[in-house]
Every structure is written in structure tokens, then in C-alpha cells.
């Protein structure tokens, strides 16, 4: 509610400069003292126009040890190369790029940007690890028997959990924002 009020109170200025790198650096400074999850949702309708280096700033944030996840929402971005750049920046910070072509898509993208998500990975006996899926809260999957790990992404909190799945087994992993993930009952 506070974020929405602040956003609504910010005037939209036509032909304004877009200081993406500086904005990311300042947002990361604001979030550094807070407990995780630390999430930045950058909404932009264009490229960096203030000679900043967003990729360098993002790498610096990650190198500093501050775990900040970045989701970039591109509003009415028509250039495929620019969308690809934004996707690369978001990936550097453990996030993703969400395109939004109109106001309805923008509202959907904003909801998606703050929804908890989880990486589902399978561990093999030979030491390989494979990312099987990225799951939304409440999403179910049918999986073959094996050893799996579920790790919080985006706005999800807490540590990951590992679990074994046998043929025909049905497991439910509980998630609570205050407590994180809880492994399934054996």
C-alpha cells in the first residue's frame, strides 16, 4: 500500500531522462539494511539515457553481498534488442523481464513481479543438477522419482528444501512468508 501510494504520487513527465543505473544503485542502498527478500521492480518505457552502466551497477550490487532481486517491467517496449538487454540485466540480479504493452498488461506484470516463485531442481547421482521448473505459489507438478531441491526466488523468503520423491508419491511443500519453506512429510 505504501509503495502504491508513492508510485501514484510520482508525476509522469514526458521526455524525461531515464537514469536506470543511478536508480538501481540508490534503490539497492535503500534496501541494503532491510531483511530479505529485497526486491526491486523497475518499470521503464525506455533505455538508460543518462550515460549510466546498469549492468555494471547490478554486478556491483551482487558483488557487495546484498541479495537484491530485480524484475524489470518494460512498458510499451517495441525494440526487441532493448527487451533482450532488459532481460539480461534482470537475469544478472536473479530476476526476470516482463513485457507490458498496455495498462492491463502493466497491472498483470506488476502482480507477477511481486508474486513468490521457486526454482525446482533435480539432483542426479552423477553430480549433475538440472533446473526442472520455476514454480508459482500453489503450482503442482508431476515428477519422476528422484532427489529434488526447491529454492526461493524473487519475493519468496527462507532457505531451500531438499526432498526425495518415490514413484507414485504425493508430496506437498508448505510455504509461509514468515517461516519460509517446510519440507514435505515423508
Amino acid at each position: 500500500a505504501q509503495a502504491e501510494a508513492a508510485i501514484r504520487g510520482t508525476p509522469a513527465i514526458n521526455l524525461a531522462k531515464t537514469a536506470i543505473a543511478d536508480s538501481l544503485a540508490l534503490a539497492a542502498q535503500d534496501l541494503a539494511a532491510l531483511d530479505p527478500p529485497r526486491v526491486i521492480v523497475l518499470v521503464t518505457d525506455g533505455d538508460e539515457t543518462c550515460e549510466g552502466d546498469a549492468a555494471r551497477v547490478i554486478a556491483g550490487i551482487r558483488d557487495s553481498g546484498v541479495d537484491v532481486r530485480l524484475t524489470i517491467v518494460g512498458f510499451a517496449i517495441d525494440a526487441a534488442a532493448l527487451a533482450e538487454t532488459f532481460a539480461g540485466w534482470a537475469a544478472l540480479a536473479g530476476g526476470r523481464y516482463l513485457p507490458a504493452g498496455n495498462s492491463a498488461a502493466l497491472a498483470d506484470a506488476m502482480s507477477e513481479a511481486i508474486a513468490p516463485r521457486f526454482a525446482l531442481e533435480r539432483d542426479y547421482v552423477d553430480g549433475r543438477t538440472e533446473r526442472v521448473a520455476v514454480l508459482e505459489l500453489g503450482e503442482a507438478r508431476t515428477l519422476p522419482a528422484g532427489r529434488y531441491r526447491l529454492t526461493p526466488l524473487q519475493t519468496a523468503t527462507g532457505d531451500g528444501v531438499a526432498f526425495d520423491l518415490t514413484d507414485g508419491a504425493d508430496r506437498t511443500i508448505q510455504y509461509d512468508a514468515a517461516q519460509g519453506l517446510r519440507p514435505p512429510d515423508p
Side-chain angles (χ1 to χ4, degrees):
Q2 289 175 331
E4 183 178 353
I7 291 167
R8 288 191 184 281
T10 303
I13 301 170
N14 202 12
L15 302 176
K17 294 283 188 176
T18 307
I20 292 175
D22 288 345
S23 297
L24 292 174
L26 292 170
Q29 285 176 6
D30 288 346
L31 295 173
L34 300 176
D35 291 331
R38 297 179 194 101
V39 177
I40 296 172
V41 178
L42 171 70
V43 179
T44 183
D45 66 350
D47 199 2
E48 163 72 52
T49 58
C50 294
E51 299 180 25
D53 185 344
R56 185 185 54 74
V57 168
I58 293 165
I61 293 167
R62 298 301 277 189
D63 291 346
S64 75
V66 178
D67 182 15
V68 175
R69 296 182 186 133
L70 169 65
T71 296
I72 299 177
V73 177
F75 184 65
I77 302 294
D78 295 329
L82 183 55
E84 189 174 310
T85 297
F86 289 154
W89 291 351
L92 283 174
R96 60 195 175 140
Y97 172 70
L98 302 171
N102 56 44
S103 61
L106 178 60
D108 290 344
M110 293 302 292
S111 294
E112 190 174 336
I114 61 171
R117 299 175 68 217
F118 307 88
L120 178 64
E121 296 176 328
R122 184 175 183 187
D123 295 328
Y124 291 91
V125 226
D126 64 4
R128 287 181 304 125
T129 298
E130 172 190 25
R131 181 171 279 189
V132 176
V134 173
L135 302 176
E136 304 291 333
L137 193 60
E139 185 176 346
R141 283 288 168 114
T142 301
L143 303 167
R147 178 121 181 110
Y148 293 90
R149 281 181 291 128
L150 197 62
T151 307
L153 297 174
Q154 205 162 300
T155 60
T157 57
D159 297 324
V161 298
F163 60 97
D164 291 316
L165 193 60
T166 58
D167 284 332
D170 189 7
R171 298 283 185 257
T172 300
I173 298 174
Q174 300 295 319
Y175 173 74
D176 177 275
Q179 299 174 5
L181 291 166
R182 288 184 303 222
D185 293 329

